[in-house]
Structure formats: structure tokens, C-alpha cells
Amino acid sequence: MSNEEKYKLALFGVIRNSMVMPNLLLLGKSMEEINAVSVLTAKKVMEQFDYELLKKSYEEGKQVTE
């Protein structure tokens, strides 16, 4: 599995487990519905960033931790 795939799945997992699942479980939704909403939410998140600015911020944070 490539790092790109791992990052995509990590984003999906964080969104599903921390944002979508808790709310939809309370509404009695199935895991299939939860997963579908999580995929759509991850796609929306991916569209919202300025990736050049985000990369700069990531590199700055990475330097501090090394």
C-alpha cells in the first residue's frame, strides 16, 4: 500500500471515527451509511485546502519535531 493510500485511509478513519460515526450511530444509521457519509465528508475536506500553504505549514511543524 502506498503512502498516498495510507494517508487517504487515515483521513477517512479520523473523519469516520471522530466526526461522523458518533452522530450517525445516535440516529440509528448503519455502518454502510456511516461509511458513505464519511467518504463524502473526506472528499469535501480534500477540496477545502490550499495545499501549497498547507505543505509549508506541515514542513515548519516537522522541523520543530526533528
Side-chain angles (χ1 to χ4, degrees):
M1 185 178 302
S2 71
N3 276 343
E4 181 179 337
E5 290 173 302
K6 288 178 183 178
Y7 282 116
K8 180 174 70 173
L9 291 173
L11 173 65
F12 167 79
V14 168
I15 288 171
R16 185 188 62 187
N17 293 352
S18 66
M19 295 173 56
V20 175
M21 192 180 323
N23 295 319
L24 294 187
L25 282 176
L26 291 174
L27 297 173
K29 301 297 180 179
S30 69
M31 283 307 295
E32 185 176 89
E33 292 170 304
I34 290 168
N35 289 335
V37 171
S38 299
V39 168
L40 291 174
T41 303
K43 286 181 180 181
K44 286 290 188 187
V45 167
M46 296 286 292
E47 295 169 358
Q48 295 180 359
F49 288 105
D50 174 338
Y51 283 94
E52 291 303 317
L53 182 60
L54 199 57
K55 182 178 179 179
K56 181 181 176 202
S57 297
Y58 176 84
E59 293 299 327
E60 288 173 0
K62 188 176 163 184
Q63 289 175 1
V64 172
T65 62
E66 293 178 339

